[in-house]
Amino acid sequence: MLELENVHKYFGSLHVLKGVSFEVRKGEVVVVIGRSGSGKSTILRCINGLEPIQQGRIEVEGELVDAHSKRVRHIREKVGFVFQSFNLFPYYTALENVSLALKIVKKNPVADAQRIAKEMLGRVGLSDKLDAYPDRLSGGQQQRVAIARALAMSPDLMLFDEVTSALDPELVGEVLKVMQDLAEGGMTMIVVTHEMGFARAVGDRVLFFDEGEIAEQGTPEQIFNHPQHEHLRTFIQSIL
Amino acid sequence: MTYKFHWEVPLQDLPAFLWGALATLEISGLAVLIGLFIAIACALARLSKMAALRRIAGAYVEVIRNTPLLVQIFYVYFGLPAVGINLSAFTVAIIALTINCGAYCSEIIRAGIQSIHRGQTEAGLSLGMTPWQVFRYVILMPTLRVVWPPLASQFIATMLGSSVVSQISAEELTYAGMLLESRTYRTFEIFFAITIIYFTMSQVFSLASNLTGRRVFRQAWGQL
Amino acid sequence: MPEIFTAFTYKDVLFLLQGALVTIALCAMAISCGLPFALVIGLMRTAKRLRFLRWPAAVYVEIFRGTPLLMQLFIAYFGLSIIGLNLPRFVAVSMPLILYTGAYMGEFVRAGIEATHRGQREAGLSLGMTQYQLLRYVVAPTAVRVMIPPSVGFLVQLVKGTSLAYVVGYIELTRAGYIVSQSTYATMLVFTLVGAIYFGICYPLSLASQRLEFRLRRHA
């Protein structure tokens, strides 16, 4: 479903991704961990073309991701992205936030778009907040709306970029629950996170990013209980 | 286009223009300097606890900000002789510009003072500082840093606005242009040249204020 | 010429009010033509694909904000007649005002566009929107709301700026006041009245601008 091969990326002269390669199968939940600056958020942004790569290949369901071409929009319709800072549109209600892209990108008729949006907001547990503006919602609620917004596009792949890092601790749980339900429903997901409990419970595979490369990968059991790489060991110790 | 441009006309009279520019700077400079004193007094008045003081200062600021400079100049120009005070056009210009500048600057200073969090004053007092020490170390420097860019802009705005005093025959740059124009009728070339001089002055001051500000107020320049 | 001073009558007040109408008409003209122009300038200043458009717009804004409005009026007014265009005086006076409005409001447009956080633009892109859709549905709502308070404040500046048309002899409120003051005994009264009319136009606008700015800060 998703294939990365020998991806290199530079920010100016800074080499942030050094030959990253991995595959993701349909229905898999891949968790990405690592220090800040290790490249884990960057790789996610390269997959949906928000950042261009200088070398290597990224393919989503056989289609090449080229951040500079106009066809990258088709990729984005298939790949949902949830941001750390939610990025809801401030002057639209929750319902409008979720239905906007359905109307203008997928060209759904208004009635269908609203129906789907209501359904998605119901799935994330916010049926009572349809007409609320983002500034009236808590962080956790805003993030759930953001997830609903991405889900409404019926993506084949969902990318989560540290989506709970900006939340107060008591709000983290509600978002993780939504993500867990999604995973159990068979969604293909790549989740960059610091939440190790989530990684253990929901992840099929864990990738440890270190200085722009995948230093180690394996099942949660392997990574957390039998870390091999020296940096991974110190990382696990500092987290737990 | 049958018009022939006579660019040598303004060039020949360049010294007159440069004296005019100097006069413009003198007028605007005085207006800002004296205006600042008025501005500080006015800002403090607007922030004071006495309602009467607030209202008077507030009225002054709002009247000046909501009427054109030209009308204000005429008011002073015709008003002073009416009460028996006869001054040169130059002096009248300075007075009117000072009154004008004082109002705008007072708003800038008021905003600057208010932008300092009350929490910092409380922190200073809690550390045992006297109110004077709080003012000097906690309030003064940050306020100056905040008001420096808008005050510099106000100086430039006043300088550009001073071109209007030419209408009461005060001797500055625009008036110099008008004099030459009445002799040679080369309106376009003359005022084009004068505009370039104004533009240069405003750019120079903009740059100078930026650089000075950066050096004097080193931390977090422009960010507040 | 024998100086015939007349008393200040209601006819003079009417004359002043006519001047006020001209002032308002000039502003309306400046805004209606200046606003689309400002949109173009603002878009040029924030162009991403066609970067070379940025600096001409920047230079234009610098020039119109760094020179006196009086000079802009002179040059435009006399420059037009030089080119041989004999436009009606209303248009000739409006043109520099339009250019002036375009420069200042162009900056507001730019600030409005830049007020949209990068994150929201990325969210829109990630949902598959085109650049145009992004501009229309994501950038525009925020941009318009950010633009309104300073624009209303600028209106005040514009009204005051029309007083400069006095200098080319055009009869708007200030020139009307001057004419009346030269032919009656009541100079101070006339100018007080003129000032009061300007105040009456500008003060409500200033209040509105402050109120709008306050409301905007609370919402986002």
Side-chain angles (χ1 to χ4, degrees):
Chain A
M1 138 90 71
L2 170 70
E3 208 179 306
L4 279 87
E5 193 184 317
N6 196 27
V7 170
H8 286 264
K9 176 161 177 63
Y10 295 82
F11 276 125
S13 55
L14 194 62
H15 198 176
V16 288
L17 292 174
K18 303 175 184 164
V20 174
S21 306
F22 66 92
E23 277 177 29
V24 178
R25 289 187 305 277
K26 193 160 154 58
E28 244 195 310
V29 174
V30 174
V31 176
V32 178
I33 61 177
R35 293 226 145 77
S36 328
S38 57
K40 53 192 204 303
S41 286
T42 313
I43 195 71
L44 230 53
R45 293 160 63 89
C46 292
I47 294 177
N48 86 332
L50 283 176
E51 301 279 357
I53 57 176
Q54 277 74 45
Q55 200 186 329
R57 187 174 58 90
I58 303 181
E59 273 185 21
V60 176
E61 291 184 324
E63 214 180 314
L64 192 65
V65 175
D66 178 4
H68 296 297
S69 94
K70 290 215 175 123
R71 271 179 290 110
V72 75
R73 279 205 317 119
H74 295 175
I75 308 264
R76 291 176 181 156
E77 286 183 47
K78 291 192 284 194
V79 175
F81 200 102
V82 186
F83 297 84
Q84 182 175 354
S85 43
F86 334 136
N87 293 336
L88 293 184
F89 304 133
Y91 295 108
Y92 292 93
T93 64
L95 186 67
E96 287 163 355
N97 256 279
V98 177
S99 61
L100 180 66
L102 287 172
K103 284 185 266 192
I104 65 177
V105 176
K106 288 213 154 156
K107 316 268 197 246
N108 286 3
V110 177
D112 284 348
Q114 293 207 332
R115 182 181 48 83
I116 298 175
K118 280 191 196 155
E119 195 188 311
M120 290 301 144
L121 284 168
R123 270 176 75 177
V124 302
L126 288 170
S127 302
D128 56 333
K129 297 277 184 210
L130 298 179
D131 296 318
Y133 283 92
D135 62 351
R136 292 262 174 271
L137 299 172
S138 75
Q141 291 169 329
Q142 287 186 51
Q143 195 59 295
R144 284 187 278 153
V145 174
I147 295 177
R149 180 176 63 176
L151 272 183
M153 303 287 279
S154 309
D156 300 316
L157 171 65
M158 285 280 280
L159 304 176
F160 294 84
D161 186 3
E162 297 208 42
V163 301
T164 53
S165 301
L167 296 177
D168 291 331
E170 64 269 16
L171 301 172
V172 168
E174 63 195 52
V175 174
L176 290 181
K177 170 138 192 348
V178 167
M179 289 163 69
Q180 185 163 358
D181 289 340
L182 259 184
E184 283 164 11
M187 173 66 74
T188 316
M189 297 161 53
I190 305 182
V191 182
V192 175
T193 186
H194 293 299
E195 298 289 330
M196 299 305 153
F198 177 84
R200 269 200 232 246
V202 184
D204 297 319
R205 211 179 1 139
V206 177
L207 303 179
F208 173 63
F209 262 73
D210 186 41
E211 288 175 14
E213 297 177 295
I214 300 181
E216 197 172 322
Q217 54 178 303
T219 66
E221 213 273 332
Q222 290 169 331
I223 290 282
F224 292 118
N225 296 343
H226 307 290
Q228 308 279 339
H229 197 277
E230 179 198 330
H231 288 178
L232 178 56
R233 270 190 261 183
T234 30
F235 182 74
I236 303 268
Q237 276 170 0
S238 66
I239 294 279
L240 294 175
Chain B
M1 200 160 89
T2 53
Y3 188 83
K4 260 192 76 187
F5 284 100
H6 289 260
W7 293 110
E8 72 277 5
V9 170
L11 281 174
Q12 280 164 357
D13 237 31
L14 205 56
F17 289 166
L18 291 179
W19 279 117
L22 228 62
T24 293
L25 287 176
E26 192 183 328
I27 296 179
S28 342
L30 279 172
V32 173
L33 236 51
I34 306 175
L36 265 179
F37 285 107
I38 300 181
I40 295 179
C42 192
L44 291 174
R46 290 197 79 173
L47 292 173
S48 89
K49 299 210 173 79
M50 288 204 289
L53 221 55
R54 279 204 311 265
R55 292 219 189 97
I56 296 177
Y60 159 63
V61 170
E62 289 303 328
V63 165
I64 297 293
R65 278 167 39 121
N66 288 295
T67 49
L69 177 58
L70 187 54
V71 173
Q72 292 166 19
I73 292 177
F74 279 148
Y75 211 77
V76 177
Y77 185 65
F78 290 119
L80 286 182
V83 294
I85 305 177
N86 280 307
L87 298 166
S88 72
F90 195 76
T91 318
V92 169
I94 296 179
I95 293 177
L97 275 174
T98 305
I99 297 176
N100 185 276
C101 193
Y104 286 95
C105 289
S106 91
E107 280 304 278
I108 294 173
I109 293 181
R110 184 173 71 95
I113 296 180
Q114 284 183 315
S115 76
I116 308 299
H117 251 293
R118 181 176 298 161
Q120 295 183 30
T121 318
E122 292 177 345
L125 290 171
S126 313
L127 287 167
M129 294 188 190
T130 68
W132 165 248
Q133 286 175 326
V134 170
F135 177 72
R136 191 178 149 195
Y137 295 104
V138 178
I139 299 185
L140 187 61
M141 214 36 169
T143 308
L144 283 177
R145 195 188 338 145
V146 169
V147 302
W148 178 258
L151 279 182
S153 298
Q154 187 57 44
F155 171 72
I156 294 179
T158 303
M159 184 207 28
L160 295 180
S162 72
S163 66
V164 170
V165 305
S166 56
Q167 295 312 302
I168 56 170
S169 311
E171 316 215 319
E172 42 73 65
L173 182 52
T174 309
Y175 187 66
M178 285 167 65
L179 284 179
L180 186 60
E181 195 251 347
S182 63
R183 283 198 337 254
T184 66
Y185 295 100
R186 290 281 157 213
T187 321
F188 188 80
E189 295 92 320
I190 292 173
F191 288 110
F192 196 82
I194 290 184
T195 305
I196 293 183
I197 298 180
Y198 272 114
F199 186 64
T200 314
M201 287 200 291
S202 74
Q203 292 294 64
V204 164
F205 274 105
S206 194
L207 207 66
S209 74
N210 258 332
L211 287 176
T212 326
R214 250 185 259 264
R215 302 207 63 206
V216 176
F217 306 110
R218 241 162 285 127
Q219 322 99 318
W221 172 246
Q223 241 310 350
L224 284 177
Chain C
M1 184 177 89
E3 298 192 280
I4 301 175
F5 280 97
T6 58
F8 184 71
T9 67
Y10 75 94
K11 282 200 195 134
D12 300 304
V13 178
L14 275 177
F15 188 57
L16 289 182
L17 288 177
Q18 279 180 334
L21 275 175
V22 173
T23 295
I24 296 178
L26 281 175
C27 289
M29 180 75 161
I31 297 267
S32 53
C33 298
L35 191 53
F37 190 40
L39 279 172
V40 171
I41 295 280
L43 286 171
M44 278 173 71
R45 290 271 269 149
T46 55
K48 273 190 211 99
R49 293 268 174 89
L50 304 162
R51 288 215 161 203
F52 68 90
L53 286 177
R54 286 197 185 196
W55 69 265
V59 167
Y60 172 81
V61 170
E62 273 301 299
I63 292 180
F64 277 87
R65 283 169 46 136
T67 53
L69 179 56
L70 184 59
M71 295 290 100
Q72 294 168 24
L73 253 159
F74 265 8
I75 293 183
Y77 190 77
F78 292 110
L80 280 177
S81 58
I82 283 175
I83 302 179
L85 279 173
N86 276 313
L87 298 168
R89 294 186 79 186
F90 180 75
V91 178
V93 172
S94 303
M95 277 205 57
L97 289 175
I98 292 173
L99 294 175
Y100 181 73
T101 305
Y104 274 84
M105 293 198 71
E107 277 300 283
F108 301 152
V109 171
R110 180 178 72 93
I113 293 179
E114 290 179 354
T116 316
H117 294 301
R118 192 167 144 239
Q120 281 154 39
R121 268 177 276 169
E122 290 186 342
L125 284 176
S126 303
L127 289 165
M129 292 188 194
T130 61
Q131 285 290 352
Y132 169 71
Q133 288 171 333
L134 207 60
L135 206 63
R136 187 172 155 195
Y137 294 101
V138 178
V139 175
T142 310
V144 167
R145 283 172 175 84
V146 167
M147 268 182 68
I148 291 185
S151 301
V152 176
F154 173 73
L155 261 180
V156 175
Q157 232 176 301
L158 194 58
V159 169
K160 294 190 288 183
T162 60
S163 69
L164 295 180
Y166 161 95
V167 177
V168 297
Y170 191 63
I171 302 185
E172 37 67 61
L173 182 50
T174 308
R175 178 54 85 163
Y178 188 79
I179 291 175
V180 171
S181 78
Q182 295 296 1
S183 67
T184 69
Y185 286 115
T187 316
M188 292 316 290
L189 176 59
V190 171
F191 278 112
T192 309
L193 205 51
V194 167
I197 298 178
Y198 273 113
F199 189 78
I201 301 176
C202 294
Y203 187 57
L205 288 174
S206 296
L207 280 181
S209 168
Q210 287 170 17
R211 207 161 287 165
L212 285 169
E213 195 158 344
F214 185 65
R215 272 178 53 188
L216 184 85
R217 215 156 277 172
R218 285 171 64 214
H219 197 15

